[in-house]
Amino acid sequence: MDARRSDAFPLRRREVAKALLADRGDLLVVAGLGSTAWDVAAAGDHPLDFPLWGAMGGATMIGLGLALAQPQRRVLVITGDGELLMGLGGLATIGAQKPANLALVVFDNERYGETGMQSTHTAHDVDLAGIARACGFPATGTAREPAELEAALPTIRAAAGPVFHAIKVRAESLPLVMPPKDGAHLKDRFRIAL
């Protein structure tokens, strides 16, 4: 079996989300549009989760704003490769701002999951961690195997940032686990929890 095929990647997105959010404490989480929002919800809905509905490409900038507004709190953005590719300029802005409390994790299945599983540019050798590194992120990496994910978790959770990790996850269709859809409710719940 070809190890480059995204349907053969050993890491599974829901398991990665669960590992990232284990013992989360007061971690602030921005979940990107679509599958990553469902993955975060599957790990357990939390008032400090802010899932995006209909804001493709916005997760990184919302995470940056939150990190700058809450410099004493750790902010984790969990998004997908398709969404990040729509807003690559955000990596340059984050690199210029250098928020030490911000970590970005990209679930990279090399597919646009919301529109039919077409290949993204990462299926053609675009290196997201390399782009983040070139934008000035001091801590970057790509995890393809369980041991690499395990080794990356302490950096993602606590290293001075901005931190960027691409996690190569299997391309798979999973049952939807929907976070709340009411935007006003999500905003109010998040503000109160802050």
Side-chain angles (χ1 to χ4, degrees), residues 166-179:
I167 311 294
K168 291 288 193 174
V169 295
R170 185 174 299 186
E172 57 188 337
S173 295
L174 296 169
L176 302 182
V177 179
M178 303 292 247

Side-chain angles (χ1 to χ4, degrees), residues 81 86 94 112 129 144 167:
D81 53 313
M86 282 192 74
I94 291 168
Y112 290 106
R144 292 176 178 81
I167 311 294

Side-chain angles (χ1 to χ4, degrees), residues 85-96:
L85 286 164
M86 282 192 74
L88 282 178
L91 294 180
T93 301
I94 291 168

